[in-house]
Amino acid sequence: MGAFPYIASKQRSEKFLYSLPINFVPVRLFVASDSAFNRIEDIHGKRLCIPHGYSIGKAEQTVIDQFAMKINRAKDGIGCVGQVQRGWSDAGLTNGYIQAIKLRHQTETEDPIRIFPQALYSEPLYFLISKSYPDAQLWMDRFNQAFVQLAENGQKQQIDQLFLAALSKQ
């Protein structure tokens, strides 16, 4: 019936209904661990890797425009890490909950990237339902109503805390 998590995009909004924002993910910039870029401002005019299939939303476009970056594409997020390590791209964007040390087992190298601590933006994530699904708007309204109730009674905040605690243990 529906899917989560998705960011908002013009293309998706043509086919899907969006819920209220369920949570927000901080987005951070990463560079190669041996990069000479020591400040986010150092990436001005450089190459930014974004995986194929990832939407470039308003927030990503703001970063691209603000830093006059050129876009390179890779197969996936790990592909972007590889491009940045090899110097084919200068930087990438990552979910702010990911830590560089967690990538060791996927890339087989010591801390393949360095993630800047400051978040560039916070990306809202949504539950989606296809507009072609029977009674899609009714289902979305029900979902949003239940979500508001979870937030009002404090259960959403409890779920968020459990999620953050689980992330810190990985």
Side-chain angles (χ1 to χ4, degrees):
M1 162 178 12
F4 172 84
Y6 283 92
I7 65 170
S9 76
K10 187 176 181 177
Q11 287 176 313
R12 281 192 194 114
S13 66
E14 293 172 7
K15 295 181 180 182
F16 296 93
L17 298 174
Y18 288 85
S19 69
L20 296 170
I22 293 177
N23 63 7
F24 294 82
V25 175
V27 177
R28 294 190 170 93
L29 186 84
F30 70 85
V31 295
S33 56
D34 61 354
S35 172
F37 304 125
N38 294 313
R39 301 172 310 139
I40 286 182
E41 295 78 19
D42 294 340
I43 56 116
H44 194 275
K46 303 301 181 192
R47 299 162 297 177
L48 178 68
C49 187
I50 296 180
H52 286 289
Y54 280 45
S55 295
I56 297 177
K58 289 179 185 177
E60 292 86 359
Q61 193 62 54
T62 299
V63 171
I64 293 163
D65 294 344
Q66 178 182 355
F67 296 105
M69 300 188 83
K70 298 168 193 76
I71 301 300
N72 284 348
R73 292 285 188 164
K75 177 183 173 189
D76 55 23
I78 294 299
C80 279
V81 169
Q83 278 199 20
V84 169
Q85 279 185 292
R86 291 175 187 85
W88 301 342
S89 290
D90 299 300
L93 297 173
T94 188
N95 173 329
Y97 296 125
I98 294 189
Q99 298 173 14
I101 197 169
K102 309 276 187 199
L103 294 171
R104 283 185 186 171
H105 75 282
Q106 293 179 348
T107 60
E108 299 176 9
T109 61
E110 291 290 316
D111 295 340
I113 58 173
R114 184 168 26 100
I115 301 172
F116 287 101
Q118 61 269 45
L120 295 172
Y121 57 92
S122 188
E123 187 75 67
L125 298 176
Y126 303 90
F127 172 71
L128 302 180
I129 296 177
S130 172
K131 289 180 178 180
S132 65
Y133 190 79
D135 299 319
Q137 188 61 60
L138 176 65
W139 285 108
M140 186 57 78
D141 292 344
R142 287 178 179 169
F143 179 90
N144 284 333
Q145 182 180 20
F147 182 74
V148 167
Q149 288 175 342
L150 287 173
E152 286 175 349
N153 69 23
Q155 286 182 290
K156 182 197 178 303
Q157 293 80 353
Q158 291 173 357
I159 294 167
D160 289 346
Q161 291 300 322
L162 289 171
F163 173 71
L164 293 173
L167 281 177
S168 67
K169 291 178 184 177
Q170 291 185 357

